[in-house]
């Protein structure tokens, strides 16, 4: 009984360390790449990198929770996290591990489309209830960021701008 309490009490500390480690790694990547400046011209790219770092730790946090059921935000976080891990693994298998962008191997546009598909499928499959857990809220925040990034990339496409200008 005492060991059960000890392991469940240490889990929030592990989660906090994983999240802080992901944010710290993302910030170090941004600083090393010279992308942290003022005014923040590359703010969306920086947010994308930080979101990718959080996506990497999502499956570790969600699988480590021991819960079998999750909510829609957690499904989004898990799906994108597993997708990022799979793309990173594929790059390693192909021998491209030196050139892969570990936190962002998939474009924001593609991630936004994946998140939209997961949200629609999850809603249709009955994941409609709302849970105020930090993991669910984090998944929703990341998902909305990626959907917004996909929408902004679509709105900034040259084909759309030329089509709108012709009208």
């Amino acid at each position: 009984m005492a060991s059960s309490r000890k392991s469940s009490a240490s889990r929030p500390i592990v989660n906090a360390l994983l999240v802080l480690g992901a944010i710290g790694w993302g910030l170090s990547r941004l600083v090393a790449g010279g992308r942290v400046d003022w005014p923040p011209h590359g703010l969306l790219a920086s947010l994308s990198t930080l979101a990718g770092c959080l996506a990497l730790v999502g499956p570790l946090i969600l699988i480590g929770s021991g819960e079998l059921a999750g909510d829609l935000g957690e499904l989004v976080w898990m799906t994108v996290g597993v997708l990022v891990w799979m793309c990173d693994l594929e790059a390693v298998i192909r021998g491209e591990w030196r050139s892969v962008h570990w936190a962002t191997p998939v474009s924001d546009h593609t991630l936004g489309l994946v998140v939209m598909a997961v949200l629609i499928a999850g809603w249709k499959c009955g994941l409609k209830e709302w849970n105020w857990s930090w993991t669910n809220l984090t998944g929703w925040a990341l998902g909305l960021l990626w959907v917004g990034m996909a929408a902004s990339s679509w709105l900034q496409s040259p084909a759309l701008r030329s089509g709108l200008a012709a009208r």
Side-chain angles (χ1 to χ4, degrees), residues 76-113:
V76 167
W77 195 9
M78 176 67 87
T79 301
V80 173
V82 169
L83 179 63
V84 169
W85 276 99
M86 292 293 105
C87 290
D88 289 345
L89 181 62
E90 178 192 23
V92 168
I93 290 170
R94 287 190 317 209
E96 299 172 359
W97 60 274
R98 289 186 180 131
S99 63
V100 71
H101 298 281
W102 295 99
T104 56
V106 182
S107 72
D108 293 324
H109 180 78
T110 303
L111 284 179
L113 294 175

PDB file of all heavy atoms in Angstrom, residues 76-113:
ATOM      1  N   VAL A  76      -6.103  14.126 -29.002  1.00  0.00           N
ATOM      2  CA  VAL A  76      -5.346  14.973 -29.931  1.00  0.00           C
ATOM      3  C   VAL A  76      -3.866  14.958 -29.566  1.00  0.00           C
ATOM      4  O   VAL A  76      -3.000  14.757 -30.421  1.00  0.00           O
ATOM      5  CB  VAL A  76      -5.903  16.416 -29.930  1.00  0.00           C
ATOM      6  CG1 VAL A  76      -4.957  17.373 -30.614  1.00  0.00           C
ATOM      7  CG2 VAL A  76      -7.269  16.458 -30.578  1.00  0.00           C
ATOM      8  N   TRP A  77      -3.557  15.172 -28.285  1.00  0.00           N
ATOM      9  CA  TRP A  77      -2.166  15.231 -27.835  1.00  0.00           C
ATOM     10  C   TRP A  77      -1.470  13.893 -28.095  1.00  0.00           C
ATOM     11  O   TRP A  77      -0.340  13.856 -28.585  1.00  0.00           O
ATOM     12  CB  TRP A  77      -2.129  15.603 -26.362  1.00  0.00           C
ATOM     13  CG  TRP A  77      -0.794  16.032 -25.845  1.00  0.00           C
ATOM     14  CD1 TRP A  77       0.345  16.288 -26.550  1.00  0.00           C
ATOM     15  CD2 TRP A  77      -0.455  16.288 -24.483  1.00  0.00           C
ATOM     16  NE1 TRP A  77       1.357  16.686 -25.721  1.00  0.00           N
ATOM     17  CE2 TRP A  77       0.889  16.692 -24.440  1.00  0.00           C
ATOM     18  CE3 TRP A  77      -1.167  16.211 -23.296  1.00  0.00           C
ATOM     19  CZ2 TRP A  77       1.541  17.016 -23.263  1.00  0.00           C
ATOM     20  CZ3 TRP A  77      -0.521  16.536 -22.119  1.00  0.00           C
ATOM     21  CH2 TRP A  77       0.819  16.935 -22.095  1.00  0.00           C
ATOM     22  N   MET A  78      -2.152  12.806 -27.788  1.00  0.00           N
ATOM     23  CA  MET A  78      -1.571  11.478 -28.000  1.00  0.00           C
ATOM     24  C   MET A  78      -1.349  11.210 -29.491  1.00  0.00           C
ATOM     25  O   MET A  78      -0.286  10.731 -29.894  1.00  0.00           O
ATOM     26  CB  MET A  78      -2.485  10.402 -27.402  1.00  0.00           C
ATOM     27  CG  MET A  78      -2.008   8.985 -27.652  1.00  0.00           C
ATOM     28  SD  MET A  78      -0.478   8.593 -26.812  1.00  0.00           S
ATOM     29  CE  MET A  78      -1.116   8.052 -25.256  1.00  0.00           C
ATOM     30  N   THR A  79      -2.329  11.548 -30.323  1.00  0.00           N
ATOM     31  CA  THR A  79      -2.221  11.280 -31.754  1.00  0.00           C
ATOM     32  C   THR A  79      -1.060  12.045 -32.375  1.00  0.00           C
ATOM     33  O   THR A  79      -0.242  11.467 -33.101  1.00  0.00           O
ATOM     34  CB  THR A  79      -3.533  11.656 -32.471  1.00  0.00           C
ATOM     35  OG1 THR A  79      -4.597  10.897 -31.905  1.00  0.00           O
ATOM     36  CG2 THR A  79      -3.448  11.387 -33.962  1.00  0.00           C
ATOM     37  N   VAL A  80      -0.982  13.332 -32.095  1.00  0.00           N
ATOM     38  CA  VAL A  80       0.098  14.131 -32.675  1.00  0.00           C
ATOM     39  C   VAL A  80       1.443  13.686 -32.111  1.00  0.00           C
ATOM     40  O   VAL A  80       2.432  13.597 -32.848  1.00  0.00           O
ATOM     41  CB  VAL A  80      -0.150  15.634 -32.457  1.00  0.00           C
ATOM     42  CG1 VAL A  80       1.047  16.447 -32.901  1.00  0.00           C
ATOM     43  CG2 VAL A  80      -1.388  16.073 -33.214  1.00  0.00           C
ATOM     44  N   GLY A  81       1.493  13.381 -30.830  1.00  0.00           N
ATOM     45  CA  GLY A  81       2.741  12.911 -30.235  1.00  0.00           C
ATOM     46  C   GLY A  81       3.229  11.615 -30.859  1.00  0.00           C
ATOM     47  O   GLY A  81       4.414  11.477 -31.196  1.00  0.00           O
ATOM     48  N   VAL A  82       2.327  10.672 -31.050  1.00  0.00           N
ATOM     49  CA  VAL A  82       2.711   9.405 -31.676  1.00  0.00           C
ATOM     50  C   VAL A  82       3.131   9.636 -33.134  1.00  0.00           C
ATOM     51  O   VAL A  82       4.094   9.042 -33.615  1.00  0.00           O
ATOM     52  CB  VAL A  82       1.561   8.372 -31.576  1.00  0.00           C
ATOM     53  CG1 VAL A  82       1.829   7.158 -32.427  1.00  0.00           C
ATOM     54  CG2 VAL A  82       1.358   7.968 -30.117  1.00  0.00           C
ATOM     55  N   LEU A  83       2.432  10.542 -33.828  1.00  0.00           N
ATOM     56  CA  LEU A  83       2.798  10.860 -35.212  1.00  0.00           C
ATOM     57  C   LEU A  83       4.207  11.448 -35.278  1.00  0.00           C
ATOM     58  O   LEU A  83       5.016  11.056 -36.131  1.00  0.00           O
ATOM     59  CB  LEU A  83       1.780  11.828 -35.823  1.00  0.00           C
ATOM     60  CG  LEU A  83       2.046  12.276 -37.255  1.00  0.00           C
ATOM     61  CD1 LEU A  83       2.001  11.094 -38.217  1.00  0.00           C
ATOM     62  CD2 LEU A  83       1.046  13.337 -37.663  1.00  0.00           C
ATOM     63  N   VAL A  84       4.530  12.359 -34.372  1.00  0.00           N
ATOM     64  CA  VAL A  84       5.870  12.950 -34.349  1.00  0.00           C
ATOM     65  C   VAL A  84       6.914  11.880 -34.046  1.00  0.00           C
ATOM     66  O   VAL A  84       7.961  11.812 -34.701  1.00  0.00           O
ATOM     67  CB  VAL A  84       5.937  14.121 -33.337  1.00  0.00           C
ATOM     68  CG1 VAL A  84       7.368  14.574 -33.099  1.00  0.00           C
ATOM     69  CG2 VAL A  84       5.084  15.281 -33.822  1.00  0.00           C
ATOM     70  N   TRP A  85       6.632  11.015 -33.071  1.00  0.00           N
ATOM     71  CA  TRP A  85       7.562   9.922 -32.752  1.00  0.00           C
ATOM     72  C   TRP A  85       7.766   9.001 -33.957  1.00  0.00           C
ATOM     73  O   TRP A  85       8.889   8.590 -34.245  1.00  0.00           O
ATOM     74  CB  TRP A  85       7.048   9.101 -31.570  1.00  0.00           C
ATOM     75  CG  TRP A  85       7.395   9.679 -30.232  1.00  0.00           C
ATOM     76  CD1 TRP A  85       6.583  10.424 -29.432  1.00  0.00           C
ATOM     77  CD2 TRP A  85       8.640   9.573 -29.539  1.00  0.00           C
ATOM     78  NE1 TRP A  85       7.250  10.781 -28.286  1.00  0.00           N
ATOM     79  CE2 TRP A  85       8.517  10.267 -28.323  1.00  0.00           C
ATOM     80  CE3 TRP A  85       9.840   8.958 -29.831  1.00  0.00           C
ATOM     81  CZ2 TRP A  85       9.551  10.369 -27.402  1.00  0.00           C
ATOM     82  CZ3 TRP A  85      10.881   9.052 -28.906  1.00  0.00           C
ATOM     83  CH2 TRP A  85      10.727   9.754 -27.711  1.00  0.00           C
ATOM     84  N   MET A  86       6.678   8.677 -34.669  1.00  0.00           N
ATOM     85  CA  MET A  86       6.789   7.785 -35.829  1.00  0.00           C
ATOM     86  C   MET A  86       7.604   8.426 -36.956  1.00  0.00           C
ATOM     87  O   MET A  86       8.414   7.767 -37.597  1.00  0.00           O
ATOM     88  CB  MET A  86       5.406   7.387 -36.349  1.00  0.00           C
ATOM     89  CG  MET A  86       4.607   6.490 -35.420  1.00  0.00           C
ATOM     90  SD  MET A  86       5.354   4.859 -35.232  1.00  0.00           S
ATOM     91  CE  MET A  86       6.056   4.978 -33.610  1.00  0.00           C
ATOM     92  N   CYS A  87       7.392   9.712 -37.182  1.00  0.00           N
ATOM     93  CA  CYS A  87       8.171  10.414 -38.219  1.00  0.00           C
ATOM     94  C   CYS A  87       9.641  10.488 -37.836  1.00  0.00           C
ATOM     95  O   CYS A  87      10.526  10.329 -38.692  1.00  0.00           O
ATOM     96  CB  CYS A  87       7.601  11.808 -38.465  1.00  0.00           C
ATOM     97  SG  CYS A  87       6.000  11.776 -39.281  1.00  0.00           S
ATOM     98  N   ASP A  88       9.924  10.712 -36.551  1.00  0.00           N
ATOM     99  CA  ASP A  88      11.315  10.719 -36.082  1.00  0.00           C
ATOM    100  C   ASP A  88      11.944   9.339 -36.225  1.00  0.00           C
ATOM    101  O   ASP A  88      13.091   9.208 -36.671  1.00  0.00           O
ATOM    102  CB  ASP A  88      11.385  11.175 -34.624  1.00  0.00           C
ATOM    103  CG  ASP A  88      11.099  12.655 -34.454  1.00  0.00           C
ATOM    104  OD1 ASP A  88      11.131  13.393 -35.458  1.00  0.00           O
ATOM    105  OD2 ASP A  88      10.833  13.067 -33.299  1.00  0.00           O
ATOM    106  N   LEU A  89      11.189   8.307 -35.877  1.00  0.00           N
ATOM    107  CA  LEU A  89      11.687   6.933 -36.007  1.00  0.00           C
ATOM    108  C   LEU A  89      11.956   6.590 -37.470  1.00  0.00           C
ATOM    109  O   LEU A  89      12.977   5.980 -37.797  1.00  0.00           O
ATOM    110  CB  LEU A  89      10.683   5.944 -35.398  1.00  0.00           C
ATOM    111  CG  LEU A  89      11.061   4.474 -35.436  1.00  0.00           C
ATOM    112  CD1 LEU A  89      12.340   4.216 -34.649  1.00  0.00           C
ATOM    113  CD2 LEU A  89       9.932   3.623 -34.896  1.00  0.00           C
ATOM    114  N   GLU A  90      11.071   7.016 -38.353  1.00  0.00           N
ATOM    115  CA  GLU A  90      11.276   6.773 -39.783  1.00  0.00           C
ATOM    116  C   GLU A  90      12.555   7.457 -40.270  1.00  0.00           C
ATOM    117  O   GLU A  90      13.319   6.889 -41.053  1.00  0.00           O
ATOM    118  CB  GLU A  90      10.084   7.284 -40.583  1.00  0.00           C
ATOM    119  CG  GLU A  90      10.261   7.096 -42.075  1.00  0.00           C
ATOM    120  CD  GLU A  90       9.235   7.832 -42.892  1.00  0.00           C
ATOM    121  OE1 GLU A  90       8.655   8.811 -42.407  1.00  0.00           O
ATOM    122  OE2 GLU A  90       9.031   7.415 -44.051  1.00  0.00           O
ATOM    123  N   ALA A  91      12.798   8.672 -39.810  1.00  0.00           N
ATOM    124  CA  ALA A  91      14.018   9.383 -40.205  1.00  0.00           C
ATOM    125  C   ALA A  91      15.263   8.652 -39.716  1.00  0.00           C
ATOM    126  O   ALA A  91      16.260   8.562 -40.439  1.00  0.00           O
ATOM    127  CB  ALA A  91      13.989  10.807 -39.670  1.00  0.00           C
ATOM    128  N   VAL A  92      15.200   8.107 -38.520  1.00  0.00           N
ATOM    129  CA  VAL A  92      16.334   7.349 -37.986  1.00  0.00           C
ATOM    130  C   VAL A  92      16.557   6.089 -38.818  1.00  0.00           C
ATOM    131  O   VAL A  92      17.694   5.754 -39.174  1.00  0.00           O
ATOM    132  CB  VAL A  92      16.108   7.003 -36.495  1.00  0.00           C
ATOM    133  CG1 VAL A  92      17.116   5.983 -36.004  1.00  0.00           C
ATOM    134  CG2 VAL A  92      16.148   8.263 -35.646  1.00  0.00           C
ATOM    135  N   ILE A  93      15.496   5.386 -39.154  1.00  0.00           N
ATOM    136  CA  ILE A  93      15.613   4.161 -39.948  1.00  0.00           C
ATOM    137  C   ILE A  93      16.194   4.457 -41.327  1.00  0.00           C
ATOM    138  O   ILE A  93      16.996   3.682 -41.857  1.00  0.00           O
ATOM    139  CB  ILE A  93      14.247   3.450 -40.046  1.00  0.00           C
ATOM    140  CG1 ILE A  93      13.865   2.872 -38.682  1.00  0.00           C
ATOM    141  CG2 ILE A  93      14.256   2.357 -41.113  1.00  0.00           C
ATOM    142  CD1 ILE A  93      12.448   2.352 -38.584  1.00  0.00           C
ATOM    143  N   ARG A  94      15.805   5.589 -41.921  1.00  0.00           N
ATOM    144  CA  ARG A  94      16.326   5.959 -43.239  1.00  0.00           C
ATOM    145  C   ARG A  94      17.732   6.539 -43.161  1.00  0.00           C
ATOM    146  O   ARG A  94      18.332   6.845 -44.182  1.00  0.00           O
ATOM    147  CB  ARG A  94      15.405   6.982 -43.902  1.00  0.00           C
ATOM    148  CG  ARG A  94      14.114   6.395 -44.376  1.00  0.00           C
ATOM    149  CD  ARG A  94      13.347   7.358 -45.226  1.00  0.00           C
ATOM    150  NE  ARG A  94      13.379   8.707 -44.646  1.00  0.00           N
ATOM    151  CZ  ARG A  94      12.435   9.607 -44.794  1.00  0.00           C
ATOM    152  NH1 ARG A  94      11.384   9.332 -45.512  1.00  0.00           N
ATOM    153  NH2 ARG A  94      12.531  10.786 -44.234  1.00  0.00           N
ATOM    154  N   GLY A  95      18.247   6.729 -41.969  1.00  0.00           N
ATOM    155  CA  GLY A  95      19.593   7.261 -41.806  1.00  0.00           C
ATOM    156  C   GLY A  95      19.659   8.774 -41.879  1.00  0.00           C
ATOM    157  O   GLY A  95      20.735   9.340 -42.063  1.00  0.00           O
ATOM    158  N   GLU A  96      18.544   9.445 -41.715  1.00  0.00           N
ATOM    159  CA  GLU A  96      18.497  10.905 -41.803  1.00  0.00           C
ATOM    160  C   GLU A  96      18.435  11.550 -40.425  1.00  0.00           C
ATOM    161  O   GLU A  96      17.939  12.662 -40.284  1.00  0.00           O
ATOM    162  CB  GLU A  96      17.280  11.325 -42.630  1.00  0.00           C
ATOM    163  CG  GLU A  96      17.317  10.812 -44.042  1.00  0.00           C
ATOM    164  CD  GLU A  96      16.016  11.058 -44.796  1.00  0.00           C
ATOM    165  OE1 GLU A  96      15.066  11.610 -44.199  1.00  0.00           O
ATOM    166  OE2 GLU A  96      15.950  10.676 -45.966  1.00  0.00           O
ATOM    167  N   TRP A  97      18.941  10.883 -39.412  1.00  0.00           N
ATOM    168  CA  TRP A  97      18.801  11.377 -38.047  1.00  0.00           C
ATOM    169  C   TRP A  97      19.578  12.663 -37.804  1.00  0.00           C
ATOM    170  O   TRP A  97      19.262  13.405 -36.893  1.00  0.00           O
ATOM    171  CB  TRP A  97      19.201  10.295 -37.052  1.00  0.00           C
ATOM    172  CG  TRP A  97      20.606   9.815 -37.201  1.00  0.00           C
ATOM    173  CD1 TRP A  97      21.058   8.835 -38.030  1.00  0.00           C
ATOM    174  CD2 TRP A  97      21.745  10.300 -36.505  1.00  0.00           C
ATOM    175  NE1 TRP A  97      22.411   8.688 -37.900  1.00  0.00           N
ATOM    176  CE2 TRP A  97      22.854   9.579 -36.963  1.00  0.00           C
ATOM    177  CE3 TRP A  97      21.941  11.278 -35.540  1.00  0.00           C
ATOM    178  CZ2 TRP A  97      24.138   9.800 -36.492  1.00  0.00           C
ATOM    179  CZ3 TRP A  97      23.217  11.493 -35.074  1.00  0.00           C
ATOM    180  CH2 TRP A  97      24.294  10.756 -35.551  1.00  0.00           C
ATOM    181  N   ARG A  98      20.585  12.954 -38.612  1.00  0.00           N
ATOM    182  CA  ARG A  98      21.343  14.200 -38.416  1.00  0.00           C
ATOM    183  C   ARG A  98      20.597  15.424 -38.929  1.00  0.00           C
ATOM    184  O   ARG A  98      20.815  16.527 -38.451  1.00  0.00           O
ATOM    185  CB  ARG A  98      22.690  14.093 -39.115  1.00  0.00           C
ATOM    186  CG  ARG A  98      23.633  13.151 -38.426  1.00  0.00           C
ATOM    187  CD  ARG A  98      25.005  13.189 -39.064  1.00  0.00           C
ATOM    188  NE  ARG A  98      25.888  12.283 -38.372  1.00  0.00           N
ATOM    189  CZ  ARG A  98      26.653  11.404 -38.966  1.00  0.00           C
ATOM    190  NH1 ARG A  98      26.675  11.315 -40.279  1.00  0.00           N
ATOM    191  NH2 ARG A  98      27.410  10.610 -38.248  1.00  0.00           N
ATOM    192  N   SER A  99      19.736  15.226 -39.907  1.00  0.00           N
ATOM    193  CA  SER A  99      19.078  16.376 -40.522  1.00  0.00           C
ATOM    194  C   SER A  99      17.605  16.531 -40.128  1.00  0.00           C
ATOM    195  O   SER A  99      16.967  17.497 -40.538  1.00  0.00           O
ATOM    196  CB  SER A  99      19.175  16.281 -42.051  1.00  0.00           C
ATOM    197  OG  SER A  99      18.493  15.130 -42.506  1.00  0.00           O
ATOM    198  N   VAL A 100      17.072  15.607 -39.347  1.00  0.00           N
ATOM    199  CA  VAL A 100      15.654  15.677 -38.996  1.00  0.00           C
ATOM    200  C   VAL A 100      15.412  16.786 -37.963  1.00  0.00           C
ATOM    201  O   VAL A 100      16.250  17.057 -37.111  1.00  0.00           O
ATOM    202  CB  VAL A 100      15.143  14.313 -38.465  1.00  0.00           C
ATOM    203  CG1 VAL A 100      15.703  13.995 -37.096  1.00  0.00           C
ATOM    204  CG2 VAL A 100      13.641  14.284 -38.425  1.00  0.00           C
ATOM    205  N   HIS A 101      14.303  17.459 -38.091  1.00  0.00           N
ATOM    206  CA  HIS A 101      13.862  18.424 -37.090  1.00  0.00           C
ATOM    207  C   HIS A 101      13.019  17.642 -36.092  1.00  0.00           C
ATOM    208  O   HIS A 101      11.835  17.407 -36.321  1.00  0.00           O
ATOM    209  CB  HIS A 101      13.046  19.542 -37.731  1.00  0.00           C
ATOM    210  CG  HIS A 101      13.820  20.333 -38.720  1.00  0.00           C
ATOM    211  ND1 HIS A 101      14.713  21.304 -38.331  1.00  0.00           N
ATOM    212  CD2 HIS A 101      13.870  20.283 -40.068  1.00  0.00           C
ATOM    213  CE1 HIS A 101      15.258  21.830 -39.406  1.00  0.00           C
ATOM    214  NE2 HIS A 101      14.774  21.232 -40.468  1.00  0.00           N
ATOM    215  N   TRP A 102      13.612  17.228 -34.996  1.00  0.00           N
ATOM    216  CA  TRP A 102      13.012  16.273 -34.065  1.00  0.00           C
ATOM    217  C   TRP A 102      11.653  16.719 -33.549  1.00  0.00           C
ATOM    218  O   TRP A 102      10.745  15.919 -33.428  1.00  0.00           O
ATOM    219  CB  TRP A 102      13.954  16.007 -32.891  1.00  0.00           C
ATOM    220  CG  TRP A 102      15.206  15.325 -33.329  1.00  0.00           C
ATOM    221  CD1 TRP A 102      16.411  15.917 -33.564  1.00  0.00           C
ATOM    222  CD2 TRP A 102      15.378  13.943 -33.632  1.00  0.00           C
ATOM    223  NE1 TRP A 102      17.318  14.989 -33.977  1.00  0.00           N
ATOM    224  CE2 TRP A 102      16.714  13.752 -34.026  1.00  0.00           C
ATOM    225  CE3 TRP A 102      14.531  12.840 -33.599  1.00  0.00           C
ATOM    226  CZ2 TRP A 102      17.218  12.515 -34.384  1.00  0.00           C
ATOM    227  CZ3 TRP A 102      15.039  11.604 -33.951  1.00  0.00           C
ATOM    228  CH2 TRP A 102      16.367  11.451 -34.340  1.00  0.00           C
ATOM    229  N   ALA A 103      11.499  17.979 -33.224  1.00  0.00           N
ATOM    230  CA  ALA A 103      10.239  18.458 -32.649  1.00  0.00           C
ATOM    231  C   ALA A 103       9.193  18.756 -33.720  1.00  0.00           C
ATOM    232  O   ALA A 103       8.003  18.741 -33.432  1.00  0.00           O
ATOM    233  CB  ALA A 103      10.478  19.702 -31.808  1.00  0.00           C
ATOM    234  N   THR A 104       9.631  19.029 -34.934  1.00  0.00           N
ATOM    235  CA  THR A 104       8.690  19.416 -35.993  1.00  0.00           C
ATOM    236  C   THR A 104       8.991  18.684 -37.305  1.00  0.00           C
ATOM    237  O   THR A 104       9.260  19.317 -38.329  1.00  0.00           O
ATOM    238  CB  THR A 104       8.746  20.938 -36.231  1.00  0.00           C
ATOM    239  OG1 THR A 104      10.103  21.304 -36.532  1.00  0.00           O
ATOM    240  CG2 THR A 104       8.250  21.719 -35.041  1.00  0.00           C
ATOM    241  N   PRO A 105       8.930  17.352 -37.301  1.00  0.00           N
ATOM    242  CA  PRO A 105       9.196  16.641 -38.556  1.00  0.00           C
ATOM    243  C   PRO A 105       8.027  16.690 -39.540  1.00  0.00           C
ATOM    244  O   PRO A 105       8.174  16.355 -40.705  1.00  0.00           O
ATOM    245  CB  PRO A 105       9.448  15.201 -38.090  1.00  0.00           C
ATOM    246  CG  PRO A 105       8.606  15.072 -36.871  1.00  0.00           C
ATOM    247  CD  PRO A 105       8.662  16.429 -36.214  1.00  0.00           C
ATOM    248  N   VAL A 106       6.871  17.117 -39.057  1.00  0.00           N
ATOM    249  CA  VAL A 106       5.670  17.204 -39.882  1.00  0.00           C
ATOM    250  C   VAL A 106       5.290  18.678 -39.965  1.00  0.00           C
ATOM    251  O   VAL A 106       5.386  19.406 -38.983  1.00  0.00           O
ATOM    252  CB  VAL A 106       4.515  16.396 -39.246  1.00  0.00           C
ATOM    253  CG1 VAL A 106       3.272  16.429 -40.110  1.00  0.00           C
ATOM    254  CG2 VAL A 106       4.936  14.959 -38.985  1.00  0.00           C
ATOM    255  N   SER A 107       4.837  19.110 -41.141  1.00  0.00           N
ATOM    256  CA  SER A 107       4.480  20.517 -41.305  1.00  0.00           C
ATOM    257  C   SER A 107       3.277  20.877 -40.436  1.00  0.00           C
ATOM    258  O   SER A 107       2.443  20.035 -40.104  1.00  0.00           O
ATOM    259  CB  SER A 107       4.168  20.812 -42.769  1.00  0.00           C
ATOM    260  OG  SER A 107       2.929  20.241 -43.136  1.00  0.00           O
ATOM    261  N   ASP A 108       3.197  22.146 -40.087  1.00  0.00           N
ATOM    262  CA  ASP A 108       2.067  22.631 -39.288  1.00  0.00           C
ATOM    263  C   ASP A 108       0.749  22.447 -40.033  1.00  0.00           C
ATOM    264  O   ASP A 108      -0.280  22.165 -39.425  1.00  0.00           O
ATOM    265  CB  ASP A 108       2.253  24.105 -38.931  1.00  0.00           C
ATOM    266  CG  ASP A 108       3.408  24.327 -37.989  1.00  0.00           C
ATOM    267  OD1 ASP A 108       3.624  23.476 -37.118  1.00  0.00           O
ATOM    268  OD2 ASP A 108       4.091  25.357 -38.117  1.00  0.00           O
ATOM    269  N   HIS A 109       0.799  22.603 -41.337  1.00  0.00           N
ATOM    270  CA  HIS A 109      -0.409  22.426 -42.152  1.00  0.00           C
ATOM    271  C   HIS A 109      -0.928  20.988 -42.022  1.00  0.00           C
ATOM    272  O   HIS A 109      -2.111  20.767 -41.782  1.00  0.00           O
ATOM    273  CB  HIS A 109      -0.099  22.755 -43.613  1.00  0.00           C
ATOM    274  CG  HIS A 109      -1.266  22.592 -44.516  1.00  0.00           C
ATOM    275  ND1 HIS A 109      -2.272  23.528 -44.601  1.00  0.00           N
ATOM    276  CD2 HIS A 109      -1.614  21.587 -45.346  1.00  0.00           C
ATOM    277  CE1 HIS A 109      -3.179  23.115 -45.457  1.00  0.00           C
ATOM    278  NE2 HIS A 109      -2.796  21.938 -45.926  1.00  0.00           N
ATOM    279  N   THR A 110      -0.020  20.028 -42.143  1.00  0.00           N
ATOM    280  CA  THR A 110      -0.412  18.619 -42.024  1.00  0.00           C
ATOM    281  C   THR A 110      -0.909  18.303 -40.619  1.00  0.00           C
ATOM    282  O   THR A 110      -1.918  17.613 -40.457  1.00  0.00           O
ATOM    283  CB  THR A 110       0.773  17.705 -42.393  1.00  0.00           C
ATOM    284  OG1 THR A 110       1.204  18.026 -43.719  1.00  0.00           O
ATOM    285  CG2 THR A 110       0.405  16.242 -42.307  1.00  0.00           C
ATOM    286  N   LEU A 111      -0.209  18.811 -39.604  1.00  0.00           N
ATOM    287  CA  LEU A 111      -0.655  18.561 -38.227  1.00  0.00           C
ATOM    288  C   LEU A 111      -2.027  19.166 -37.972  1.00  0.00           C
ATOM    289  O   LEU A 111      -2.856  18.571 -37.285  1.00  0.00           O
ATOM    290  CB  LEU A 111       0.354  19.121 -37.221  1.00  0.00           C
ATOM    291  CG  LEU A 111       1.624  18.310 -37.031  1.00  0.00           C
ATOM    292  CD1 LEU A 111       2.544  18.992 -36.041  1.00  0.00           C
ATOM    293  CD2 LEU A 111       1.322  16.907 -36.587  1.00  0.00           C
ATOM    294  N   GLY A 112      -2.281  20.339 -38.524  1.00  0.00           N
ATOM    295  CA  GLY A 112      -3.597  20.954 -38.374  1.00  0.00           C
ATOM    296  C   GLY A 112      -4.693  20.106 -38.989  1.00  0.00           C
ATOM    297  O   GLY A 112      -5.771  19.939 -38.412  1.00  0.00           O
ATOM    298  N   LEU A 113      -4.418  19.544 -40.165  1.00  0.00           N
ATOM    299  CA  LEU A 113      -5.398  18.671 -40.814  1.00  0.00           C
ATOM    300  C   LEU A 113      -5.607  17.383 -40.017  1.00  0.00           C
ATOM    301  O   LEU A 113      -6.740  16.907 -39.875  1.00  0.00           O
ATOM    302  CB  LEU A 113      -4.963  18.350 -42.240  1.00  0.00           C
ATOM    303  CG  LEU A 113      -4.948  19.539 -43.198  1.00  0.00           C
ATOM    304  CD1 LEU A 113      -4.384  19.111 -44.558  1.00  0.00           C
ATOM    305  CD2 LEU A 113      -6.325  20.139 -43.358  1.00  0.00           C
TER     306      LEU A 113
END
